[in-house]
Amino acid sequence: MSLIDVNNLNFKYEGSIQNVFENVSFSIDTDWKLGLIGRNGKGKTTFLRLLKGDYEYTGKISKSIEFDYFPYEVENKQMQTIDIVHEIIPNTDDWEIVKELNLLKTDSEVLYRSFDTLSGGEQIKILLVSLFLKENNFLLIDEPTNHLDSQTRENLAEYLNKKKGFILVSHDRNFLDRVVDHIISINNTNIEVQKGNFSSWKDNKDARDNFEFTQNEKLRKDINRLEIAAKNTENWSNKIEKSKYNTNNSGSSIDRGYVGHQSAKMMKKSKVIEKRVEKAIDEKSNLLNNIDRSDDLKIVPLNCNKNTLIMAHDLQIKYNNKNIFNKISFEIQNGDRIAIIGKNGAGKSSILKLILGYDVPYGGEMKIANDLKISYVSQSTEELEGTLKNFAYQMKIDESIFKAMLSKMGFSSLDFNTDIKKMSEGQKKKVLIAKSISEMANIYIWDEPLNYIDIITRIQIEEAILKYKPTMIFVEHDETFIKNVATKIINLESI
């Protein structure tokens, strides 16, 4: 056990006028399992890169161990996997590697295949095993669960739960709850460390936010009352001061002395009230700074005259003339929110593409209502580029509504002027979701919409769906999202 100390860390990108981090200080234990959370664009990956030493900064990071970063960059993916593992950990015996893979419920045969033939989940497992087998290292694990199916996430959670000494970036609430024992949260004004998992952190944050809202309202009322009292007291003092010169000559010195004393007393009282106002204002200024204002998103679904929008009977998707899952039958009716689940490669996205009109080989029957207005969110963000204004124009959506949705999802005024291609993956996904909810549609088809999306925005999206009840069919691996949103589930069973 040792400590990682961060003292007065400051960092900003070259050419930027705004600090990403400013005077950040905290300590963490190298035995802890930490979840790193924060809204997209807050600097989670940047923070990991700073710990690793990839960027120049001011301040000090003290450590007695080495940092390793995941995802690890494999230069030659055509190499045999076992050779790649030995490049990462040269002095490790094969039996140790096999033992770790067994913990991840992965067959050791993957070691003797070319790395580029492995699935995304298999590659993640191989690299994590290799990094955890290194001695005297602390792992910086950046979003390992994106695109992973539920079973692979389950295996990965069980594996990480048996490990220690890492910082994990993930937006999967259930995954964080199962894996971590501390939370590092990147807030608007600071970074703080708290013992517990995501749920305990969220409960504490909600309680603190509610206290600050209540305290802020109390102080606002106190400031208004005190300002009125101070003004009235000052006015009374001035009136009394003027009145002493209007007294009669007889006994005038006594009268003026008494009136002057009363005037000074009232003025002193006014100054005391003013100091109380200043103190209340100063106290109020320290509230609400770290509250993420997540305004409600809005979806405007279109009604459809037909109750059944899509019907599938004995449907099977074919690859190379072979069926990839057992026959399924389902109907999508107005108000349904259907989640498609199954292993990676089971054909989930292919069903969505078939509904969208892509040329997907299939057997069975598929019927789609005429003139159905569809809004689609794809997995890929690769084709996104240009300004948000041009994107809104190309997609034929209302620019003001589109930007309002992005603003509610945490976009700043600086983000609005950034080329979409230069945005983070989380911001790109928000662009696709904002575009979709800005469209009026009979059905919303979303293919893994939450990859890279921060937890606060996930909750916003959930709340909007539950409030406006759009008809949906979607593929997603976030179990919490599925549980909260889906009204029906289609489970694809591979053949």
Side-chain angles (χ1 to χ4, degrees), residues 103-350:
L103 292 176
L104 274 166
K105 300 177 182 177
T106 302
D107 197 309
S108 60
E109 65 87 19
V110 299
L111 293 169
Y112 307 102
R113 288 162 47 194
S114 170
F115 188 79
D116 61 353
T117 66
L118 305 186
S119 69
E122 288 169 336
Q123 291 182 0
I124 286 172
K125 291 174 183 179
I126 287 293
L127 296 177
L128 279 176
V129 161
S130 303
L131 294 173
F132 269 115
L133 282 171
K134 293 181 73 174
E135 295 182 359
N136 195 38
N137 73 328
F138 187 88
L139 256 60
L140 310 173
I141 309 171
D142 199 354
E143 301 200 48
T145 59
N146 286 322
H147 303 293
L148 295 187
D149 60 53
S150 297
Q151 186 57 57
T152 306
R153 290 189 187 206
E154 172 78 15
N155 295 341
L156 193 58
E158 288 181 7
Y159 181 74
L160 290 177
N161 196 36
K162 297 171 184 175
K163 299 297 180 180
K164 62 183 180 180
F166 60 82
I167 295 175
L168 166 71
V169 177
S170 177
H171 302 304
D172 186 322
R173 291 156 283 181
N174 181 60
F175 191 80
L176 285 171
D177 275 349
R178 294 197 54 189
V179 168
V180 307
D181 55 27
H182 285 75
I183 292 289
I184 307 179
S185 58
I186 299 181
N187 305 319
N188 295 330
T189 62
N190 65 351
I191 295 179
E192 60 181 2
V193 180
Q194 188 177 123
K195 185 177 180 180
N197 59 18
F198 171 76
S199 290
S200 64
W201 173 86
K202 184 69 165 58
D203 289 343
N204 290 337
K205 178 171 173 53
D206 287 345
R208 185 172 62 187
D209 287 354
N210 289 332
F211 170 78
E212 289 196 9
F213 275 122
T214 302
Q215 190 71 2
N216 183 74
E217 183 61 20
K218 177 180 178 295
L219 288 171
R220 185 188 64 80
K221 291 178 180 178
D222 285 349
I223 290 168
N224 288 340
R225 177 177 55 80
L226 289 169
E227 284 178 340
I228 292 171
K231 188 67 175 175
N232 289 339
T233 305
E234 184 181 354
N235 289 339
W236 293 336
S237 175
N238 291 335
K239 286 180 180 178
I240 293 170
E241 182 68 17
K242 289 179 181 178
S243 70
K244 75 179 182 180
Y245 297 106
N246 296 326
T247 57
N248 297 326
N249 288 332
S250 59
S252 60
S253 61
I254 297 174
D255 290 339
R256 279 198 294 271
Y258 173 76
V259 172
H261 173 72
Q262 289 296 100
S263 173
K265 187 177 179 182
M266 295 301 289
M267 183 58 71
K268 183 178 180 181
K269 183 178 180 181
S270 173
K271 294 299 181 184
V272 169
I273 296 174
E274 284 178 4
K275 287 183 179 180
R276 288 175 61 189
V277 170
E278 289 173 2
K279 182 180 178 182
I281 290 173
D282 184 58
E283 187 178 343
K284 188 174 183 294
S285 69
N286 294 320
L287 299 173
L288 309 183
N289 293 326
N290 284 324
I291 292 178
D292 289 294
R293 291 165 175 81
S294 51
D295 296 332
D296 291 345
L297 302 176
K298 187 173 183 179
I299 307 173
V300 186
L302 286 174
N303 291 325
C304 187
N305 294 328
K306 296 181 180 180
N307 189 44
T308 301
L309 307 187
I310 298 169
M311 186 277 291
H313 180 69
D314 288 343
L315 178 68
Q316 290 184 303
I317 301 293
K318 298 176 179 289
Y319 285 162
N320 298 323
N321 294 319
K322 292 183 179 180
N323 297 320
I324 61 171
F325 56 75
N326 292 322
K327 294 178 181 178
I328 58 169
S329 298
F330 63 87
E331 288 186 354
I332 303 177
Q333 299 181 332
N334 276 315
D336 284 342
R337 299 188 296 275
I338 297 178
I340 306 177
I341 63 173
K343 292 183 178 180
N344 291 130
K348 302 182 295 295
S349 295
S350 297

Side-chain angles (χ1 to χ4, degrees), residues 354-373:
L354 183 61
I355 296 171
L356 290 164
Y358 286 78
D359 184 17
V360 178
Y362 73 99
E365 186 180 11
M366 171 75 80
K367 290 184 178 179
I368 301 173
N370 293 330
D371 302 322
L372 204 61
K373 175 70 173 172

